[in-house]
Amino acid sequence: MTWQQVAETAQKQRDDTIVQIEPPVPNVSSELPLNVTLIPKALLSPKEVKITECPAEELVTSIASGRLTSRGYACFLKASWSGAEIGTVNCVTELLPERALARARDLDEYLAEHKKTIGPLHGLPISVKEHIGMKGLGLNAGFVSWWDRIGDDDAHILKILWNAGCVFYVRTTQPQTLMHLETSSTLYGVTVNPFNRNLTSGGSSGGEGALVGLRGSCLGIGTDIGGSIRSPAANCGVYGLRPTSYRLPTDGWTATMLGSEHIIPVIGPLSTSLEGIKMFMKTTIAAKPWLVESSLLPFPWKDDISRWKKQSGKKLKIGILWDDGIVRPHPPVIRALKEVVETLDRVEGVEFVDWKPYKHDLAWEIIAGLFFCDGAKQETEAIDASSEPWRPLSNFIIKDNPHVKHHDIQSLWDLTIRREVYRRDYAKVWNDTASGVGESGELEGVVDVILCPVGPGAAPPFDHARYWGYTSQWNLLDYPALVFPVTKVDPSIDVVEEGYKPMNEQDETNYKLYEPERYRGAPVSLQLVGRRYNDEKVSIATTSSILPRDASYESDAAVALAAVRRALPNAPDGYTPKAGDCPSNRPVIRSASSISQNETSWLETRRNNTAGAMRDLLGRLNISNFDAQTYINSQAKNASALPNIGLAVSGGGYRALMNGAGALAAFDSRTTNSTSSGHLGGLLQASTYLAGLSGGGWLVGSLFVNNFTTVPALLQDNTSTVWEFGDSIFKGPATNGIQILGTTAYYNHIYDAVTAKADAGFNTSITDYWGRALSYQLINATDGGPAYTWSSIALEPDFKNGNMPMPILVADGRAPGQTLISSNATVYEFNPWEFGTWDPTTYGFVPMEYIGSNFSGGALPSNEKCVRGFDNAGYVMGTSSSLFNQFLLQINNTNIPSLFKDTLTKILSQVGQDNNDIATYSPNPFYHYHNETSKNAQSESLFLVDGGEDLQNIPLHPLIQPYRNVDVIFAIDSSADTDYHWPNGTSLVATYERSINATGIENGTAFPHVPDQNTFVNLGLNKRPTFFGCNSGNMSGPSPLIVYLPNSPYIYNSNVSTFDPSYNNTERDAIVQNGYDVATMANGTTDSQWPTCVGCAILSRSLEKTGTNVPDVCQQCFKKYCWDGTLNSTTPPPYQPKISLTSVNVKSGATRSLLLSSQTAFLGALVAALAIIF
C-alpha cells in the first residue's frame, strides 16, 4: 500500500473503534471554539462529568467502597471519543471498548464475590501511549512503514498495572520518530492543544497530554527521552513525572535504537492530580519490577515525610533557574515563577537562591549527539521505507541538527566521556550551593530542588517547538523532574517585554514568537528538579496534600505550591496591600450603564454551560405532557429565551450559613442522591448567579475560595478547621489540621496581620479583625489564607471556563455622619471582577483587583501606583457581615465583665463618633466620582456595613438589575425577623418598597408586589415555599419570578440566634439537613408535586418569551404556590412553628456552656488589640 493508503487505513481503524461505543455519542459541531475542554462536558451527563473530573485516587476509593462500579467508568470512553475527533484535539489512535467493558465487568464481579479489590488500582481507567506494547495490537511508533507491526505481548509495566486492577481503554497519539516536542504524524495528523487549538499539545506523549488535559483520562502512561512527558504535561496543564532511569520497567515498548544506553528513555505518568502520579509510582515499584527486569534498581518507593524530613532548624532550599542563559522564557513563564516564589517566600522554613545555569549550551550539544549515535540511520530508513513525507520537526531534529552524525566506537566513547564529565561538573555546581560541612562530613544547606521553566514559553504554535533545553538538560543529567500547572496566559498582564535585547539567534526567534493573543488561555506550568534518584523528594516538594504545620518544611512548601496552582493566594504581601506597577491599560472607574465586558464575555460561556445541567434537571422533574429536554435543546443557543437562574442566600450569621448550605447541597448535582427522584440536584449547575449576604456571604465565599467545593466536602473534611463551628470564632481553631494555633497565638496572628496593614499606611477598622477571624473558619489554608483575594476567583480555570455560577456579595454604604442605615442606602456589590453599585448615587464600578488604589474622579492619576491585595477574601466576607455594630446595640445585655464591656463600648462608640465606620475602604475608590449625586464622593474613605442593615437581608438587589436579565430567583431566607428568630418576609417587603421608592433610588429595577409581614405570617407564607410575580403583566417592568424559601423547622429547630458563635457538628449537620428539607420540601414527601413546580418556576418567564403554552401541571403549580394577592394584616400571635417531620437527636455537648467564656476571651483579646489603635 502507499503511505496515503496506510494512513487512511489507520484512521479508519480508529474510527471503527469509535462507533463501537454504546450508546452512540452525538456528533461534534464543526464550528468549535479554540478551547474545547468543555466539549466532553456537553456530551456527558452531569454524573458522568463528575466522574471524569475526579482524580485517580478518588476513583479507586469510590470503587473500593462500592459507591461506583468499574463499568460506571465507561464514561471515560465517551470522553476519549471527543478527543479522538480530528475537529477537537485528535489525540487517540484507537479506543478499546470491548476489552475495557469486559475487564470492568470481571472486576465488578470479583468485587461482588470476594468483597475486596484485586489490587490498589481496581477499576481505574488508564490510557496508554501507542508505542508501549499491547498484545495483538499495532505498534508503529509513528512510522507508516511500521504499521503492520503487532505486539506479541503486553509491556512489562502494563502487566504490573493490570495485576493491580486497572482497565486499559484507549491508546494515544505520538509523532513521527517519537522525537518531537509536538505530536504530528502521517498516520493520524496533528494533535492539538485542548485549551487552544492553534497551539501544540506537546510531544512526544502529546496524545496523553491532550487526553488528560481534556479529562478524557485521569491517569496515562507516557515516555520521555528529551522532554516527552513534561512538554505535554506543561502544555496541557496537568501533572507529569520524568523519573530517574532504571526505576520503572521499559521492557515491551518499541522505538528506534533500542538497546542504546547513552541517553536512557524512561516511562512515566501523566495525571490530573499529583496523588495520581504518586499512586502510579508506588503501585509499579511495589511490584518489585527488578525481579523481572534485572537492570532496574531495587529501590522501594519511600515518600513518607520522615524519610525526607530535615533536621530541626534547617530550611528547604530551592534554587530558582530564571532562564538557562540561552533562551529567555516568555512573560507568562516569568510571571509563573515570580508568583510561586512570592507565595513560597511567605512560608516559614523556605529559602531561595538563584540557580546559575552551567553551560547548558554544552549540554544540548552532548545530548543532541547522543540521541542519534548511528547518525539517525534507523529513523531515516523507517521514514523513507514508505516514502511518507518528512514532518517539519523530523527534519529539524535530524537533518537540520548539526550535532547528528554517525559515530564509530571511539567517537562514541569520547562523547560518552564528555557526558560523564559534564555530569560530574554539574554535581559540583550543585554541591557548591552548600553553606557548610557537618561534623561527619556531610554537606549542609545544599539546594534541595530546582524550580525552573519547562520550556521557553507556553505551548508553542505548530512546528515551532524547537528549543529542548529546559527539558533535555535533565535527561542528560538523569535528574527526576515533576511538572505542575501554575496559571494560564493572560494577554492583559503577560505583555511583550519591550526593549528586550536577545542573547543570540535562538533567543531572538523565541522572543519574536511571543504574541500574547496567540497564546491566550494556554496553561503555564513549571517543574521541580531533584538530584538523581530523589524522585520521592521531588514529589513531596510538589505535593498538594494538606499536612500538619509541624510535619516538615516540605509540607509548608507543598501547601503553598498547591495554593499557587489554584491561583487564589495572589496577594503580593499576605494580608498587607502593596503598591506596584500598573498594567498597560491603567484601571479606571466605569459607568454602571451596563454589565462589564468581563461579565459579558463570561456569560457567553456560562450560559451555554448551564443548558446541559438545566436539560438534565428539568428532564427529571416530571413536567407531564411537556418535553422539557427538547425545549431546552431548542433554546440552548438563544440566551434571551434560555432560563436565566439566580440564587440568593440571606444573612443571619451561622444560622444563614448552615440553612443556606443545606439548600445549596440540595441544588448541587455533586451531592450524593441529589439527582434522585424528588430531589433538585443540578439547579446549582444550571444557575448563572449566586449571591450571598452576611452569613449567606460566608457560605458563598467559603465555597468559591475553596475551589467551588461541595457542602458535603466541607462538612466531612476532618483534616482542617474549616466549618468546625464547635471551635468558637472567639476562641480560635482547634489544634488539628493545618492551622495549629492556641487561642493566644490565634489572636497574635490576627493582630499582627492587621497591624502590618496599618503600618503600611492603610486605615484599618474592626472588620479587619472580624474578617481575619472568619477566614480561619471559612478558608482551608494556613492561618486562614491571608493572601487569598476575592478578585482571584476570576482567575480560577473552572470559573473562567464558565463551570460555576458567578458569586456576588453585598454590603451597604454608610454616608459620613450617618448612624442609621435607611432603606435607600447605596447598595454595593463585590463580584470577581469589580466592586461598585448600580444605584444612581455613585453608579460606577472599580476593578476589584485594584480597589485599594488611589483613584480620583474615576481615574488613577499617572503618578499613582496600582495597589493589589486590598480585596482580601476574609475582609470582603467580613464587610458583608460586619456584626460588630450589633454588639454595640446588645453589649449592655450581656454578662461580659464590666472592664471588657466598658472598654469595648468606648471603642465601638468612637467608631461611630469618628464616622470611621465598620468596614473602612480607604482610599475611597469613588473619591470625587459623581460629586453631584454621591454623598461619599467628598470623603477620602468609603464606609461599608452589613448588607442587611437596610432590611434587604436577602441579596436580591444585584439579581434584579435589568442588565442581568434574571428570570427566576430562588431566595433562601434565614432572617430572624420574629421574636423567635424565624423569617416573616421583611426582606422581600424591603426590596419591594425600594423598587417603588419615589426618590429614584430604584433606578429602573422592578420587583413583584408582596404582602405585608403580618400577611406572611397569617397566611403561612413564611413556613412554606411561595412564588411572587407569577403574573409578569402586572409589574412596572421586567422582573424575575421569586421563589421564596423561608427557614422552617422540618427536622430541627433551626432558629438559632444570629449571635451564637459555636455549634457542635451534630447540631451543625442537623441545621444543614433541615435546610436541605426546606429547599426540597423533604425530598417531595411534604408535597410530591414540589419538584415539578420548581421546574415550572424555572421555565415560567422563558415560556412567556417564546409564546409557549404553559403545561397544565404548571398551571396547577402556580395555583398552589403563587401568592394570589390575598391580605390579612391583623397582628398575628407569636410565631412558634412546630417541627413538621420526625425530630433529629442532636448531642448537646458543651457547646453552649462555652459561650460565655469563649466570648469573653475574644472580646478581651480584641480590646487589648484595639486599644492600641484607638
Side-chain angles (χ1 to χ4, degrees):
M1 292 192 294
T2 65
W3 66 264
Q4 293 94 335
Q5 291 171 323
V6 173
E8 184 178 348
T9 301
Q11 293 168 32
K12 182 179 184 304
Q13 178 177 308
R14 176 199 59 204
D15 296 344
D16 288 344
T17 67
I18 294 174
V19 299
Q20 296 176 32
I21 297 177
E22 292 293 341
V25 182
N27 291 329
V28 174
S29 169
S30 59
E31 297 181 1
L32 292 172
L34 286 179
N35 185 330
V36 293
T37 56
L38 299 180
I39 296 297
K41 295 179 177 64
L43 301 174
L44 304 177
S45 69
K47 182 178 180 180
E48 290 173 326
V49 171
K50 181 179 178 181
I51 292 173
T52 57
E53 293 288 334
C54 276
E57 65 273 14
E58 290 184 16
L59 293 180
V60 294
T61 299
S62 295
I63 286 185
S65 66
R67 293 196 301 270
L68 287 172
T69 65
S70 300
R71 279 173 288 184
Y73 291 171
C75 54
F76 278 99
L77 278 167
K78 295 167 70 175
S80 297
W81 171 89
S82 66
E85 286 289 290
I86 295 176
T88 51
V89 294
N90 187 35
C91 62
V92 169
T93 64
E94 61 183 321
L95 299 178
L96 307 172
E98 188 174 334
R99 289 187 180 206
L101 293 174
R103 168 69 165 171
R105 182 177 59 251
D106 292 344
L107 291 170
D108 288 340
E109 292 174 354
Y110 180 93
L111 183 60
E113 179 181 352
H114 298 281
K115 308 303 180 186
K116 65 177 183 179
T117 60
I118 282 181
L121 304 184
H122 187 105
L124 182 68
I126 293 181
S127 52
V128 184
K129 188 177 180 180
E130 191 274 349
H131 80 112
I132 300 171
M134 299 185 77
K135 186 175 182 179
L137 299 181
L139 205 60
N140 60 65
F143 296 113
V144 171
S145 63
W146 288 17
W147 167 250
D148 56 356
R149 296 190 179 190
I150 304 295
D152 56 7
D153 198 3
D154 288 336
H156 183 192
I157 196 165
L158 299 191
K159 292 179 180 179
I160 291 173
L161 297 172
W162 177 273
N163 291 335
C166 82
V167 178
F168 300 120
Y169 67 105
V170 62
R171 305 179 79 205
T172 57
T173 54
Q174 64 221 343
Q176 183 187 64
T177 75
L178 296 174
M179 293 296 290
H180 299 185
L181 291 183
E182 297 182 13
T183 298
S184 66
S185 70
T186 305
L187 289 169
Y188 298 104
V190 177
T191 299
V192 303
N193 192 304
F195 291 91
N196 185 328
R197 291 187 301 116
N198 288 336
L199 305 176
T200 178
S201 64
S204 64
S205 306
E208 283 298 321
L211 189 62
V212 177
L214 198 63
R215 298 305 189 261
S217 172
C218 62
L219 183 61
I221 313 174
T223 58
D224 193 312
I225 194 174
S228 293
I229 288 173
R230 288 158 294 151
S231 160
N235 289 0
C236 299
V238 302
Y239 296 86
L241 174 65
R242 184 259 175 217
T244 311
S245 63
Y246 299 117
R247 293 211 70 181
L248 297 185
T250 59
D251 186 35
W253 66 12
T254 192
T256 55
M257 296 186 67
L258 287 177
S260 172
E261 295 186 331
H262 307 290
I263 299 295
I264 302 298
V266 297
I267 273 179
L270 296 91
S271 179
T272 58
S273 70
L274 181 57
E275 284 302 311
I277 298 288
K278 295 164 67 177
M279 185 168 63
F280 180 96
M281 297 297 293
K282 288 179 184 178
T283 301
T284 306
I285 292 177
K288 299 182 179 180
W290 52 83
L291 297 179
V292 176
E293 270 183 65
S294 58
S295 61
L296 302 180
L297 296 174
F299 290 173
W301 181 262
K302 296 182 179 179
D303 66 347
D304 56 292
I305 293 296
S306 61
R307 173 175 170 81
W308 302 104
K309 188 173 181 179
K310 288 270 190 174
Q311 297 176 358
S312 177
K314 300 295 183 181
K315 292 184 176 182
L316 171 66
K317 194 171 184 179
I318 303 177
I320 309 299
L321 178 68
W322 296 100
D323 67 61
D324 65 358
I326 305 169
V327 174
R328 179 174 171 81
H330 289 161
V333 179
I334 299 297
R335 174 170 63 87
L337 278 167
K338 289 181 178 178
E339 287 180 358
V340 172
V341 170
E342 287 173 0
T343 301
L344 286 177
D345 195 35
R346 294 189 292 272
V347 176
E348 185 178 354
V350 178
E351 177 185 358
F352 294 102
V353 295
D354 286 339
W355 185 272
K356 297 180 180 179
Y358 175 75
K359 298 182 179 180
H360 283 217
D361 51 350
L362 175 61
W364 173 248
E365 179 183 328
I366 295 170
I367 196 171
L370 291 174
F371 278 148
F372 306 101
C373 298
D374 65 346
K377 179 174 181 291
Q378 289 191 15
E379 288 80 7
T380 301
E381 289 177 350
I383 293 174
D384 292 346
S386 67
S387 299
E388 67 170 301
W390 282 66
R391 309 295 291 192
L393 291 187
S394 297
N395 276 319
F396 162 75
I397 198 64
I398 294 175
K399 294 184 176 181
D400 301 335
N401 185 348
H403 306 297
V404 172
K405 67 177 183 178
H406 188 281
H407 290 279
D408 58 24
I409 291 295
Q410 185 60 54
S411 66
L412 185 55
W413 287 346
D414 291 343
L415 191 55
T416 304
I417 290 173
R418 293 181 68 195
R419 180 196 71 185
E420 291 305 297
V421 169
Y422 185 81
R423 287 179 173 178
R424 180 197 65 201
D425 291 345
Y426 215 89
K428 182 179 184 303
V429 170
W430 198 306
N431 293 338
D432 286 346
T433 64
S435 58
V437 179
E439 294 180 358
S440 59
E442 77 280 5
L443 295 175
E444 292 184 341
V446 72
V447 161
D448 292 286
V449 291
I450 301 171
L451 177 68
C452 59
V454 191
F462 306 126
D463 299 328
H464 284 81
R466 295 170 183 251
Y467 188 72
W468 293 39
Y470 284 103
T471 51
S472 62
Q473 174 73 24
W474 315 118
N475 293 84
L476 179 67
L477 296 169
D478 197 20
Y479 287 170
L482 197 153
V483 168
F484 61 95
V486 176
T487 184
K488 290 184 180 177
V489 177
D490 183 347
S492 67
I493 56 178
D494 297 320
V495 298
V496 173
E497 192 174 357
E498 298 293 346
Y500 175 69
K501 295 181 180 180
M503 295 179 282
N504 51 58
E505 186 177 343
Q506 285 178 295
D507 194 25
E508 182 177 13
T509 298
N510 186 64
Y511 174 74
K512 291 180 177 179
L513 191 62
Y514 183 62
E515 298 172 7
E517 282 298 333
R518 170 190 276 177
Y519 291 85
R520 178 182 288 276
V524 182
S525 304
L526 299 174
Q527 61 182 334
L528 279 177
V529 178
R531 303 194 80 161
R532 207 173 185 200
Y533 300 115
N534 276 195
D535 305 53
E536 293 93 336
K537 192 173 189 178
V538 169
S539 75
I540 290 171
T542 319
T543 185
S544 59
S545 301
I546 299 175
L547 302 169
R549 280 290 308 273
D550 62 348
S552 72
Y553 65 83
E554 286 93 350
S555 66
D556 286 333
V559 170
L561 280 174
V564 170
R565 288 193 297 274
R566 293 197 300 270
L568 280 169
N570 64 340
D573 191 18
Y575 188 71
T576 304
K578 189 173 184 179
D581 293 338
C582 292
S584 56
N585 295 324
R586 293 175 67 81
V588 296
I589 310 297
R590 74 165 185 88
S591 168
S593 58
S594 66
I595 58 175
S596 69
Q597 184 56 51
N598 283 321
E599 185 174 346
T600 300
S601 300
W602 176 83
L603 282 171
E604 293 176 2
T605 302
R606 177 59 187 168
R607 298 285 280 124
N608 288 334
N609 291 353
T610 62
M614 202 177 304
R615 180 176 58 243
D616 182 69
L617 171 65
L618 293 172
R620 288 188 282 104
L621 296 186
N622 193 29
I623 305 176
S624 54
N625 298 317
F626 181 77
D627 190 343
Q629 292 180 317
T630 298
Y631 179 80
I632 294 299
N633 284 338
S634 69
Q635 307 300 329
K637 294 185 178 181
N638 182 0
S640 63
L642 184 70
N644 192 7
I645 304 172
L647 307 176
V649 188
S650 82
Y654 293 102
R655 177 187 66 252
L657 182 151
M658 294 181 286
N659 184 55
L664 292 190
F667 297 159
D668 192 342
S669 63
R670 299 170 297 178
T671 303
T672 303
N673 296 325
S674 68
T675 55
S676 303
S677 177
H679 295 247
L680 301 177
L683 180 56
L684 178 61
Q685 283 70 24
S687 298
T688 307
Y689 299 102
L690 173 55
L693 182 157
S694 192
W698 304 348
L699 168 64
V700 173
S702 190
L703 291 176
F704 278 84
V705 176
N706 292 304
N707 299 324
F708 195 55
T709 187
T710 66
V711 168
L714 290 170
L715 294 175
Q716 296 164 14
D717 183 4
N718 295 320
T719 65
S720 74
T721 61
V722 172
W723 283 36
E724 292 296 325
F725 303 137
D727 305 315
S728 165
I729 194 171
F730 301 129
K731 182 180 178 182
T735 54
N736 68 299
I738 64 173
Q739 307 189 82
I740 297 183
L741 292 173
T743 300
T744 301
Y746 168 64
Y747 285 113
N748 285 339
H749 278 242
I750 292 174
Y751 175 76
D752 289 346
V754 179
T755 300
K757 178 179 176 180
D759 290 344
F762 293 91
N763 290 339
T764 57
S765 58
I766 296 179
T767 300
D768 284 284
Y769 297 91
W770 179 236
R772 289 300 306 125
L774 283 172
S775 296
Y776 282 83
Q777 292 192 329
L778 302 178
I779 299 175
N780 189 14
T782 303
D783 296 339
Y788 282 56
T789 63
W790 190 256
S791 60
S792 67
I793 293 172
L795 304 178
E796 283 270 17
D798 276 342
F799 180 77
K800 292 172 72 173
N801 293 331
N803 295 331
M804 57 181 77
M806 174 176 156
I808 303 174
L809 300 192
V810 170
D812 287 340
R814 173 177 282 180
Q818 189 179 28
T819 55
L820 295 177
I821 303 302
S822 66
S823 61
N824 62 352
T826 301
V827 178
Y828 291 88
E829 73 169 58
F830 301 83
N831 67 55
W833 301 289
E834 295 181 315
F835 163 77
T837 178
W838 302 96
D839 292 355
T841 50
T842 302
Y843 201 58
F845 285 87
V846 60
M848 177 62 72
E849 183 177 8
Y850 304 111
I851 189 175
S853 304
N854 198 13
F855 291 90
S856 181
L860 191 62
S862 59
N863 63 333
E864 293 287 347
K865 289 185 174 292
C866 284
V867 173
R868 296 176 60 244
F870 193 98
D871 62 318
N872 173 268
Y875 187 65
V876 170
M877 289 187 276
T879 298
S880 182
S881 62
S882 0
L883 298 178
F884 282 101
N885 59 319
Q886 299 300 324
F887 278 112
L888 179 60
L889 300 177
Q890 298 196 21
I891 196 167
N892 290 324
N893 298 321
T894 68
N895 292 322
I896 296 173
S898 59
L899 173 63
F900 292 160
K901 183 184 298 184
D902 294 343
T903 306
L904 187 60
T905 300
K906 179 180 179 182
I907 291 172
L908 291 172
S909 297
Q910 287 175 338
V911 168
Q913 291 166 6
D914 292 341
N915 298 320
N916 184 10
D917 207 40
I918 300 303
T920 303
Y921 283 68
S922 181
N924 174 11
F926 301 109
Y927 185 58
H928 287 320
Y929 184 74
H930 287 172
N931 290 326
E932 65 283 1
T933 56
S934 174
K935 294 180 180 179
N936 290 300
Q938 304 302 319
S939 174
E940 294 182 356
S941 296
L942 178 67
F943 306 124
L944 302 178
V945 296
D946 189 298
E949 287 202 32
D950 62 354
L951 300 183
Q952 294 187 92
N953 200 38
I954 306 175
L956 298 166
H957 187 269
L959 306 183
I960 62 174
Q961 297 305 315
Y963 299 117
R964 286 188 168 135
N965 298 303
V966 175
D967 293 313
V968 58
I969 301 173
F970 288 81
I972 303 157
D973 192 3
S974 304
S975 301
D977 301 325
T978 70
D979 291 341
Y980 294 98
H981 309 315
W982 299 106
N984 67 3
T986 293
S987 298
L988 297 188
V989 172
T991 301
Y992 169 67
E993 290 179 346
R994 183 185 174 96
S995 74
I996 58 174
N997 192 306
T999 64
I1001 192 69
E1002 87 289 347
N1003 201 31
T1005 58
F1007 194 76
H1009 185 73
V1010 297
D1012 59 87
Q1013 292 93 324
N1014 288 348
T1015 297
F1016 266 92
V1017 176
N1018 289 327
L1019 299 186
L1021 305 181
N1022 66 331
K1023 66 178 181 181
R1024 66 169 181 83
T1026 305
F1027 298 168
F1028 295 98
C1030 295
N1031 185 354
S1032 63
N1034 286 340
M1035 286 178 286
S1036 60
S1039 169
L1041 177 73
I1042 306 298
V1043 178
Y1044 182 56
L1045 300 172
N1047 183 25
S1048 184
Y1050 276 74
I1051 61 169
Y1052 188 70
N1053 281 315
S1054 53
N1055 58 327
V1056 293
S1057 170
T1058 302
F1059 300 102
D1060 283 351
S1062 59
Y1063 301 84
N1064 63 41
N1065 284 354
T1066 56
E1067 186 175 19
R1068 176 199 68 182
D1069 295 350
I1071 297 174
V1072 171
Q1073 181 60 54
N1074 191 80
Y1076 194 112
D1077 289 335
V1078 168
T1080 63
M1081 295 195 77
N1083 303 326
T1085 57
T1086 300
D1087 178 5
S1088 60
Q1089 201 176 39
W1090 171 242
T1092 300
C1093 295
V1094 169
C1096 294
I1098 292 171
L1099 288 166
S1100 178
R1101 293 291 191 262
S1102 178
L1103 297 177
E1104 288 182 14
K1105 294 174 184 177
T1106 59
T1108 304
N1109 291 331
V1110 178
D1112 290 342
V1113 68
C1114 288
Q1115 295 184 25
Q1116 296 170 21
C1117 285
F1118 296 148
K1119 184 175 181 181
K1120 181 186 297 185
Y1121 286 104
C1122 290
W1123 176 56
D1124 61 4
T1126 301
L1127 297 173
N1128 181 352
S1129 301
T1130 60
T1131 302
Y1135 178 66
Q1136 300 184 63
K1138 304 295 184 182
I1139 289 178
S1140 57
L1141 300 177
T1142 302
S1143 177
V1144 296
N1145 182 29
V1146 171
K1147 297 177 182 178
S1148 60
T1151 304
R1152 292 292 172 264
S1153 65
L1154 291 174
L1155 172 58
L1156 176 59
S1157 60
S1158 61
Q1159 186 182 51
T1160 300
F1162 176 76
L1163 295 177
L1166 179 64
V1167 167
L1170 295 182
I1172 298 173
I1173 300 174
F1174 293 99

